[in-house]
Amino acid sequence: SYRRQIFCCFVWWQFNRSIKFSQLLVGPTAKMNLFQSVTSALDNTLASDPTAVIFGEDVAFGGVFRCTVGLRDKYGKDRVFNTPLCEQGIVGFGIGAAVAGATAIAEIQFADYIYPAFDQIVNEAAKYRYRSGNLFDCGNLTIRAPWGCVGHGSLYHSQSPEAFFAHCPGIKVVIPRGPVQCKGLLLSCIADQNPCIFFEPKILYRAAVEQVPTEAYTIPLSQAEVIQEGSDVTLVAWGTQIHVLREVANMAQEKLGVSCELIDLQTILPWDTETVCKSVAKTGRLLISHEAPITGGFAAEISSTVQEECFLNLEAPIARVCGYDTPFPHIFEPFYIPDKWKCFDAVKKLISY
């Protein structure tokens, strides 16, 4: 199953990765999975910022994924509290709290349910600073939401809506790939002076553990990370799909002798064009993969920018391996997802073009 593939990819990656986190791993660390790293980040924020409040559906008892477990007991019901089942109201309240000076951290129970709050995010939060000429802002607002395929979510629990918000100036959109990145990027979103949407890959919540610093730390937003250097093909993804492409990169090396450079975009808006274009100028080939439908997906924006900036460097047309233009299916999910075999076939086509 896709869930088992992701778990195996993540565990394998833990033993073989070459990412340098020495600048982060200062002080005590603890084994955490991804949802525990979220809890740790929120705990650090509530402890250091007396204005910080966390709210959403069921967060008082820990939330459906247990990301806020224990925080109400530790910090009180005035700082960690439930809301009505109204996403528009959750974000609207968060905007007001942030404008009033609080650090507002709102949880949308699933990213699929963020659409009722779309107007509040796009027409209010994103434009608040601009429309007031910088007299007022709601930059202290962070919106968290579980995101992406989970193996059995079907129509309303598997969507990846990042591209909808990438069209909207005034907000930042961030998606981590693992516990270390999750905590550091979430704390960066909370500290950032712009409203941020933080999508958490739900299939990774319990997939594996990493040694994560218990103290607060940040990872810069809008900076992609080159996870693996290569010379023949550039692979770009974010969130769960990073682990799929990591396995594809190893398959390409073993079966084809092809060297792949793997990039985790991390921040969707504003995204790191420099790192991606620099890589493509070196490799001459680009594959982008995400779970969201292909038409209008964020891979199209990356493809367009790279074509404009790196046209003379390209050795093959840019490839996109994404979800299909259908609602997310249930029994046909294995055929829908951009798995390692689809991505590996795309790499072969890029090399043989």
Side-chain angles (χ1 to χ4, degrees):
S1 69
Y2 185 59
R3 191 183 186 90
R4 188 176 294 107
Q5 286 182 40
I6 293 300
F7 176 78
C8 293
C9 290
F10 201 112
V11 172
W12 187 94
W13 172 66
Q14 296 300 313
F15 290 101
N16 292 275
R17 64 191 179 132
S18 58
I19 308 167
K20 297 179 181 178
F21 287 128
S22 58
Q23 73 274 24
L24 299 179
L25 302 179
V26 177
T29 65
K31 286 186 177 181
M32 301 182 196
N33 58 27
L34 194 138
F35 92 79
Q36 290 169 331
S37 73
V38 172
T39 309
S40 181
L42 298 177
D43 190 5
N44 292 153
T45 300
L46 290 168
S48 62
D49 183 352
T51 73
V53 289
I54 298 171
F55 49 93
E57 299 163 8
D58 302 322
V59 300
F61 74 83
V64 294
F65 293 104
R66 316 308 291 160
C67 291
T68 54
V69 68
L71 296 180
R72 182 185 64 171
D73 294 339
K74 187 173 182 179
Y75 295 101
K77 62 182 181 180
D78 293 333
R79 301 189 66 195
V80 183
F81 50 89
N82 290 337
T83 65
L85 303 181
C86 178
E87 286 76 21
Q88 184 178 21
I90 292 171
V91 175
F93 173 83
I95 293 170
V99 171
T103 297
I105 305 170
E107 179 182 297
I108 303 297
Q109 197 166 84
F110 285 87
D112 311 62
Y113 302 153
I114 204 168
Y115 302 116
F118 194 81
D119 177 64
Q120 287 293 321
I121 295 170
V122 171
N123 275 334
E124 303 299 335
K127 297 175 173 61
Y128 212 102
R129 187 193 307 275
Y130 182 83
R131 75 178 187 184
S132 70
N134 204 32
L135 291 175
F136 309 101
D137 70 83
C138 58
N140 289 333
L141 171 64
T142 301
I143 302 166
R144 296 178 40 250
W147 163 98
C149 171
V150 71
H152 51 76
S154 193
L155 300 177
Y156 298 122
H157 299 84
S158 298
Q159 295 179 63
S160 303
E162 65 271 16
F164 289 105
F165 299 101
H167 192 63
C168 181
I171 58 176
K172 294 186 177 182
V173 182
V174 180
I175 305 173
R177 72 175 184 273
V180 171
Q181 295 77 24
C182 186
K183 180 172 179 178
L185 291 169
L186 178 54
L187 286 171
S188 291
C189 286
I190 293 170
D192 197 89
Q193 293 304 298
N194 297 280
C196 295
I197 301 176
F198 191 78
F199 288 127
E200 300 160 8
K202 67 177 80 72
I203 198 172
L204 299 181
Y205 271 139
R206 292 170 174 79
V209 297
E210 292 179 329
Q211 288 294 139
V212 180
T214 57
E215 300 300 320
Y217 64 94
T218 57
I219 296 175
L221 303 181
S222 296
Q223 288 187 18
E225 182 178 349
V226 179
I227 297 175
Q228 173 179 305
E229 293 189 356
S231 57
D232 299 323
V233 180
T234 298
L235 309 178
V236 175
W238 46 91
T240 311
Q241 208 61 19
I242 282 293
H243 306 291
V244 175
L245 290 188
R246 179 70 187 229
E247 189 168 3
V248 170
N250 285 290
M251 291 169 61
Q253 185 66 60
E254 294 171 3
K255 298 178 182 296
L256 306 174
V258 171
S259 173
C260 294
E261 184 150 296
L262 177 59
I263 298 177
D264 180 4
L265 202 60
Q266 299 191 125
T267 302
I268 304 301
L269 183 73
W271 66 285
D272 186 353
T273 59
E274 182 179 355
T275 296
V276 174
C277 289
K278 181 180 178 180
S279 176
V280 175
K282 176 176 66 173
T283 65
R285 301 173 180 87
L286 173 62
L287 184 153
I288 315 156
S289 183
H290 59 61
E291 294 177 5
I294 188 168
T295 300
F298 197 68
E301 175 62 29
I302 298 173
S303 178
S304 176
T305 299
V306 169
Q307 189 272 340
E308 292 173 359
E309 299 294 328
C310 306
F311 180 74
L312 296 179
N313 302 102
L314 290 173
E315 301 290 344
I318 297 168
R320 293 179 292 162
V321 182
C322 308
Y324 296 117
D325 291 332
T326 70
F328 204 101
H330 190 193
I331 60 172
F332 295 120
E333 180 178 297
F335 303 100
Y336 179 91
I337 56 174
D339 62 12
K340 64 181 180 181
W341 301 111
K342 294 178 183 177
C343 294
F344 183 62
D345 285 343
V347 169
K348 289 193 290 185
K349 290 177 182 178
L350 284 171
I351 292 298
S352 61
Y353 180 79

PDB file of all heavy atoms in Angstrom, residues 321-343:
ATOM      1  N   VAL A 321       4.731  14.819 -12.681  1.00  0.00           N
ATOM      2  CA  VAL A 321       4.044  13.592 -12.282  1.00  0.00           C
ATOM      3  C   VAL A 321       3.190  13.952 -11.077  1.00  0.00           C
ATOM      4  O   VAL A 321       3.709  14.193  -9.979  1.00  0.00           O
ATOM      5  CB  VAL A 321       5.027  12.462 -11.934  1.00  0.00           C
ATOM      6  CG1 VAL A 321       4.262  11.194 -11.567  1.00  0.00           C
ATOM      7  CG2 VAL A 321       5.973  12.202 -13.102  1.00  0.00           C
ATOM      8  N   CYS A 322       1.874  14.007 -11.287  1.00  0.00           N
ATOM      9  CA  CYS A 322       0.973  14.553 -10.270  1.00  0.00           C
ATOM     10  C   CYS A 322      -0.285  13.691 -10.177  1.00  0.00           C
ATOM     11  O   CYS A 322      -0.420  12.666 -10.852  1.00  0.00           O
ATOM     12  CB  CYS A 322       0.594  15.990 -10.634  1.00  0.00           C
ATOM     13  SG  CYS A 322       2.012  17.070 -10.972  1.00  0.00           S
ATOM     14  N   GLY A 323      -1.216  14.134  -9.350  1.00  0.00           N
ATOM     15  CA  GLY A 323      -2.511  13.483  -9.301  1.00  0.00           C
ATOM     16  C   GLY A 323      -3.307  13.768 -10.563  1.00  0.00           C
ATOM     17  O   GLY A 323      -2.980  14.663 -11.348  1.00  0.00           O
ATOM     18  N   TYR A 324      -4.365  12.997 -10.763  1.00  0.00           N
ATOM     19  CA  TYR A 324      -5.209  13.187 -11.937  1.00  0.00           C
ATOM     20  C   TYR A 324      -6.254  14.276 -11.675  1.00  0.00           C
ATOM     21  O   TYR A 324      -6.499  14.671 -10.538  1.00  0.00           O
ATOM     22  CB  TYR A 324      -5.910  11.879 -12.299  1.00  0.00           C
ATOM     23  CG  TYR A 324      -4.964  10.785 -12.718  1.00  0.00           C
ATOM     24  CD1 TYR A 324      -4.857   9.609 -11.976  1.00  0.00           C
ATOM     25  CD2 TYR A 324      -4.161  10.926 -13.848  1.00  0.00           C
ATOM     26  CE1 TYR A 324      -3.987   8.589 -12.359  1.00  0.00           C
ATOM     27  CE2 TYR A 324      -3.285   9.915 -14.234  1.00  0.00           C
ATOM     28  CZ  TYR A 324      -3.201   8.756 -13.482  1.00  0.00           C
ATOM     29  OH  TYR A 324      -2.336   7.768 -13.857  1.00  0.00           O
ATOM     30  N   ASP A 325      -6.873  14.746 -12.751  1.00  0.00           N
ATOM     31  CA  ASP A 325      -7.906  15.783 -12.642  1.00  0.00           C
ATOM     32  C   ASP A 325      -9.252  15.147 -12.308  1.00  0.00           C
ATOM     33  O   ASP A 325     -10.218  15.246 -13.068  1.00  0.00           O
ATOM     34  CB  ASP A 325      -7.985  16.584 -13.949  1.00  0.00           C
ATOM     35  CG  ASP A 325      -6.745  17.440 -14.160  1.00  0.00           C
ATOM     36  OD1 ASP A 325      -6.122  17.838 -13.166  1.00  0.00           O
ATOM     37  OD2 ASP A 325      -6.395  17.693 -15.327  1.00  0.00           O
ATOM     38  N   THR A 326      -9.287  14.485 -11.178  1.00  0.00           N
ATOM     39  CA  THR A 326     -10.519  13.883 -10.672  1.00  0.00           C
ATOM     40  C   THR A 326     -10.568  14.108  -9.169  1.00  0.00           C
ATOM     41  O   THR A 326      -9.550  14.434  -8.554  1.00  0.00           O
ATOM     42  CB  THR A 326     -10.558  12.356 -10.921  1.00  0.00           C
ATOM     43  OG1 THR A 326      -9.580  11.724 -10.073  1.00  0.00           O
ATOM     44  CG2 THR A 326     -10.260  12.028 -12.368  1.00  0.00           C
ATOM     45  N   PRO A 327     -11.731  13.960  -8.551  1.00  0.00           N
ATOM     46  CA  PRO A 327     -11.741  13.928  -7.084  1.00  0.00           C
ATOM     47  C   PRO A 327     -10.852  12.789  -6.587  1.00  0.00           C
ATOM     48  O   PRO A 327     -10.656  11.788  -7.294  1.00  0.00           O
ATOM     49  CB  PRO A 327     -13.213  13.674  -6.747  1.00  0.00           C
ATOM     50  CG  PRO A 327     -13.965  14.163  -7.946  1.00  0.00           C
ATOM     51  CD  PRO A 327     -13.079  13.866  -9.116  1.00  0.00           C
ATOM     52  N   PHE A 328     -10.326  12.941  -5.397  1.00  0.00           N
ATOM     53  CA  PHE A 328      -9.449  11.910  -4.853  1.00  0.00           C
ATOM     54  C   PHE A 328     -10.271  10.635  -4.609  1.00  0.00           C
ATOM     55  O   PHE A 328     -11.227  10.645  -3.855  1.00  0.00           O
ATOM     56  CB  PHE A 328      -8.815  12.386  -3.545  1.00  0.00           C
ATOM     57  CG  PHE A 328      -7.519  11.695  -3.231  1.00  0.00           C
ATOM     58  CD1 PHE A 328      -6.307  12.316  -3.476  1.00  0.00           C
ATOM     59  CD2 PHE A 328      -7.522  10.415  -2.708  1.00  0.00           C
ATOM     60  CE1 PHE A 328      -5.115  11.680  -3.197  1.00  0.00           C
ATOM     61  CE2 PHE A 328      -6.339   9.761  -2.427  1.00  0.00           C
ATOM     62  CZ  PHE A 328      -5.118  10.398  -2.667  1.00  0.00           C
ATOM     63  N   PRO A 329      -9.892   9.514  -5.236  1.00  0.00           N
ATOM     64  CA  PRO A 329     -10.707   8.293  -5.122  1.00  0.00           C
ATOM     65  C   PRO A 329     -10.374   7.509  -3.856  1.00  0.00           C
ATOM     66  O   PRO A 329      -9.412   7.808  -3.155  1.00  0.00           O
ATOM     67  CB  PRO A 329     -10.304   7.509  -6.364  1.00  0.00           C
ATOM     68  CG  PRO A 329      -8.867   7.895  -6.573  1.00  0.00           C
ATOM     69  CD  PRO A 329      -8.757   9.335  -6.140  1.00  0.00           C
ATOM     70  N   HIS A 330     -11.163   6.484  -3.602  1.00  0.00           N
ATOM     71  CA  HIS A 330     -10.917   5.609  -2.463  1.00  0.00           C
ATOM     72  C   HIS A 330     -10.291   4.290  -2.926  1.00  0.00           C
ATOM     73  O   HIS A 330      -9.098   4.077  -2.761  1.00  0.00           O
ATOM     74  CB  HIS A 330     -12.210   5.354  -1.689  1.00  0.00           C
ATOM     75  CG  HIS A 330     -11.989   4.650  -0.380  1.00  0.00           C
ATOM     76  ND1 HIS A 330     -13.013   4.083   0.349  1.00  0.00           N
ATOM     77  CD2 HIS A 330     -10.859   4.423   0.330  1.00  0.00           C
ATOM     78  CE1 HIS A 330     -12.510   3.544   1.453  1.00  0.00           C
ATOM     79  NE2 HIS A 330     -11.217   3.733   1.458  1.00  0.00           N
ATOM     80  N   ILE A 331     -11.097   3.411  -3.559  1.00  0.00           N
ATOM     81  CA  ILE A 331     -10.546   2.118  -3.953  1.00  0.00           C
ATOM     82  C   ILE A 331      -9.521   2.251  -5.083  1.00  0.00           C
ATOM     83  O   ILE A 331      -8.685   1.363  -5.270  1.00  0.00           O
ATOM     84  CB  ILE A 331     -11.663   1.136  -4.364  1.00  0.00           C
ATOM     85  CG1 ILE A 331     -12.466   1.678  -5.552  1.00  0.00           C
ATOM     86  CG2 ILE A 331     -12.583   0.837  -3.197  1.00  0.00           C
ATOM     87  CD1 ILE A 331     -13.455   0.665  -6.118  1.00  0.00           C
ATOM     88  N   PHE A 332      -9.569   3.365  -5.822  1.00  0.00           N
ATOM     89  CA  PHE A 332      -8.609   3.556  -6.912  1.00  0.00           C
ATOM     90  C   PHE A 332      -7.433   4.443  -6.510  1.00  0.00           C
ATOM     91  O   PHE A 332      -6.677   4.905  -7.357  1.00  0.00           O
ATOM     92  CB  PHE A 332      -9.308   4.151  -8.134  1.00  0.00           C
ATOM     93  CG  PHE A 332     -10.340   3.242  -8.743  1.00  0.00           C
ATOM     94  CD1 PHE A 332     -11.666   3.637  -8.837  1.00  0.00           C
ATOM     95  CD2 PHE A 332      -9.983   1.984  -9.196  1.00  0.00           C
ATOM     96  CE1 PHE A 332     -12.618   2.800  -9.376  1.00  0.00           C
ATOM     97  CE2 PHE A 332     -10.933   1.131  -9.746  1.00  0.00           C
ATOM     98  CZ  PHE A 332     -12.256   1.540  -9.840  1.00  0.00           C
ATOM     99  N   GLU A 333      -7.269   4.673  -5.218  1.00  0.00           N
ATOM    100  CA  GLU A 333      -6.179   5.526  -4.751  1.00  0.00           C
ATOM    101  C   GLU A 333      -4.801   5.060  -5.241  1.00  0.00           C
ATOM    102  O   GLU A 333      -3.988   5.895  -5.651  1.00  0.00           O
ATOM    103  CB  GLU A 333      -6.187   5.609  -3.224  1.00  0.00           C
ATOM    104  CG  GLU A 333      -5.085   6.489  -2.665  1.00  0.00           C
ATOM    105  CD  GLU A 333      -5.143   6.608  -1.156  1.00  0.00           C
ATOM    106  OE1 GLU A 333      -6.151   7.139  -0.639  1.00  0.00           O
ATOM    107  OE2 GLU A 333      -4.195   6.157  -0.483  1.00  0.00           O
ATOM    108  N   PRO A 334      -4.491   3.754  -5.240  1.00  0.00           N
ATOM    109  CA  PRO A 334      -3.166   3.340  -5.723  1.00  0.00           C
ATOM    110  C   PRO A 334      -2.884   3.728  -7.173  1.00  0.00           C
ATOM    111  O   PRO A 334      -1.726   3.873  -7.566  1.00  0.00           O
ATOM    112  CB  PRO A 334      -3.200   1.802  -5.568  1.00  0.00           C
ATOM    113  CG  PRO A 334      -4.204   1.557  -4.491  1.00  0.00           C
ATOM    114  CD  PRO A 334      -5.255   2.612  -4.701  1.00  0.00           C
ATOM    115  N   PHE A 335      -3.947   3.889  -7.973  1.00  0.00           N
ATOM    116  CA  PHE A 335      -3.766   4.301  -9.363  1.00  0.00           C
ATOM    117  C   PHE A 335      -3.667   5.823  -9.500  1.00  0.00           C
ATOM    118  O   PHE A 335      -3.172   6.326 -10.500  1.00  0.00           O
ATOM    119  CB  PHE A 335      -4.923   3.782 -10.223  1.00  0.00           C
ATOM    120  CG  PHE A 335      -5.096   2.294 -10.166  1.00  0.00           C
ATOM    121  CD1 PHE A 335      -6.061   1.723  -9.363  1.00  0.00           C
ATOM    122  CD2 PHE A 335      -4.266   1.455 -10.907  1.00  0.00           C
ATOM    123  CE1 PHE A 335      -6.224   0.347  -9.294  1.00  0.00           C
ATOM    124  CE2 PHE A 335      -4.413   0.085 -10.851  1.00  0.00           C
ATOM    125  CZ  PHE A 335      -5.399  -0.474 -10.042  1.00  0.00           C
ATOM    126  N   TYR A 336      -4.152   6.523  -8.484  1.00  0.00           N
ATOM    127  CA  TYR A 336      -4.219   7.981  -8.538  1.00  0.00           C
ATOM    128  C   TYR A 336      -2.906   8.631  -8.126  1.00  0.00           C
ATOM    129  O   TYR A 336      -2.459   9.595  -8.738  1.00  0.00           O
ATOM    130  CB  TYR A 336      -5.345   8.473  -7.633  1.00  0.00           C
ATOM    131  CG  TYR A 336      -5.506   9.979  -7.579  1.00  0.00           C
ATOM    132  CD1 TYR A 336      -6.358  10.640  -8.459  1.00  0.00           C
ATOM    133  CD2 TYR A 336      -4.817  10.732  -6.642  1.00  0.00           C
ATOM    134  CE1 TYR A 336      -6.505  12.019  -8.413  1.00  0.00           C
ATOM    135  CE2 TYR A 336      -4.953  12.110  -6.583  1.00  0.00           C
ATOM    136  CZ  TYR A 336      -5.798  12.755  -7.473  1.00  0.00           C
ATOM    137  OH  TYR A 336      -5.928  14.111  -7.418  1.00  0.00           O
ATOM    138  N   ILE A 337      -2.294   8.101  -7.085  1.00  0.00           N
ATOM    139  CA  ILE A 337      -1.135   8.769  -6.496  1.00  0.00           C
ATOM    140  C   ILE A 337       0.079   8.716  -7.424  1.00  0.00           C
ATOM    141  O   ILE A 337       0.269   7.767  -8.182  1.00  0.00           O
ATOM    142  CB  ILE A 337      -0.777   8.137  -5.141  1.00  0.00           C
ATOM    143  CG1 ILE A 337      -0.550   6.636  -5.304  1.00  0.00           C
ATOM    144  CG2 ILE A 337      -1.843   8.451  -4.101  1.00  0.00           C
ATOM    145  CD1 ILE A 337      -0.048   5.952  -4.067  1.00  0.00           C
ATOM    146  N   PRO A 338       0.922   9.731  -7.384  1.00  0.00           N
ATOM    147  CA  PRO A 338       2.164   9.734  -8.168  1.00  0.00           C
ATOM    148  C   PRO A 338       3.229   8.904  -7.448  1.00  0.00           C
ATOM    149  O   PRO A 338       4.092   9.436  -6.749  1.00  0.00           O
ATOM    150  CB  PRO A 338       2.529  11.212  -8.235  1.00  0.00           C
ATOM    151  CG  PRO A 338       1.939  11.799  -6.990  1.00  0.00           C
ATOM    152  CD  PRO A 338       0.696  11.006  -6.689  1.00  0.00           C
ATOM    153  N   ASP A 339       3.183   7.590  -7.613  1.00  0.00           N
ATOM    154  CA  ASP A 339       4.076   6.717  -6.853  1.00  0.00           C
ATOM    155  C   ASP A 339       5.461   6.645  -7.498  1.00  0.00           C
ATOM    156  O   ASP A 339       5.741   7.288  -8.513  1.00  0.00           O
ATOM    157  CB  ASP A 339       3.466   5.328  -6.696  1.00  0.00           C
ATOM    158  CG  ASP A 339       3.249   4.616  -8.033  1.00  0.00           C
ATOM    159  OD1 ASP A 339       3.772   5.094  -9.072  1.00  0.00           O
ATOM    160  OD2 ASP A 339       2.543   3.584  -8.054  1.00  0.00           O
ATOM    161  N   LYS A 340       6.331   5.831  -6.906  1.00  0.00           N
ATOM    162  CA  LYS A 340       7.724   5.778  -7.359  1.00  0.00           C
ATOM    163  C   LYS A 340       7.844   5.231  -8.777  1.00  0.00           C
ATOM    164  O   LYS A 340       8.770   5.610  -9.513  1.00  0.00           O
ATOM    165  CB  LYS A 340       8.554   4.929  -6.395  1.00  0.00           C
ATOM    166  CG  LYS A 340       8.154   3.472  -6.313  1.00  0.00           C
ATOM    167  CD  LYS A 340       9.020   2.717  -5.316  1.00  0.00           C
ATOM    168  CE  LYS A 340       8.632   1.244  -5.229  1.00  0.00           C
ATOM    169  NZ  LYS A 340       9.466   0.518  -4.238  1.00  0.00           N
ATOM    170  N   TRP A 341       6.919   4.350  -9.183  1.00  0.00           N
ATOM    171  CA  TRP A 341       7.021   3.761 -10.516  1.00  0.00           C
ATOM    172  C   TRP A 341       6.686   4.785 -11.592  1.00  0.00           C
ATOM    173  O   TRP A 341       7.338   4.839 -12.639  1.00  0.00           O
ATOM    174  CB  TRP A 341       6.116   2.537 -10.622  1.00  0.00           C
ATOM    175  CG  TRP A 341       6.463   1.496  -9.603  1.00  0.00           C
ATOM    176  CD1 TRP A 341       5.733   1.104  -8.528  1.00  0.00           C
ATOM    177  CD2 TRP A 341       7.677   0.736  -9.538  1.00  0.00           C
ATOM    178  NE1 TRP A 341       6.392   0.156  -7.798  1.00  0.00           N
ATOM    179  CE2 TRP A 341       7.586  -0.103  -8.407  1.00  0.00           C
ATOM    180  CE3 TRP A 341       8.818   0.674 -10.347  1.00  0.00           C
ATOM    181  CZ2 TRP A 341       8.618  -0.978  -8.051  1.00  0.00           C
ATOM    182  CZ3 TRP A 341       9.837  -0.207  -9.992  1.00  0.00           C
ATOM    183  CH2 TRP A 341       9.724  -1.021  -8.859  1.00  0.00           C
ATOM    184  N   LYS A 342       5.652   5.594 -11.358  1.00  0.00           N
ATOM    185  CA  LYS A 342       5.323   6.658 -12.315  1.00  0.00           C
ATOM    186  C   LYS A 342       6.480   7.659 -12.420  1.00  0.00           C
ATOM    187  O   LYS A 342       6.839   8.113 -13.515  1.00  0.00           O
ATOM    188  CB  LYS A 342       4.048   7.379 -11.888  1.00  0.00           C
ATOM    189  CG  LYS A 342       2.789   6.533 -11.933  1.00  0.00           C
ATOM    190  CD  LYS A 342       1.594   7.325 -11.435  1.00  0.00           C
ATOM    191  CE  LYS A 342       0.333   6.473 -11.392  1.00  0.00           C
ATOM    192  NZ  LYS A 342      -0.825   7.214 -10.849  1.00  0.00           N
ATOM    193  N   CYS A 343       7.050   8.019 -11.273  1.00  0.00           N
ATOM    194  CA  CYS A 343       8.147   8.991 -11.274  1.00  0.00           C
ATOM    195  C   CYS A 343       9.401   8.400 -11.915  1.00  0.00           C
ATOM    196  O   CYS A 343      10.130   9.102 -12.639  1.00  0.00           O
ATOM    197  CB  CYS A 343       8.438   9.446  -9.847  1.00  0.00           C
ATOM    198  SG  CYS A 343       7.094  10.387  -9.079  1.00  0.00           S
TER     199      CYS A 343
END
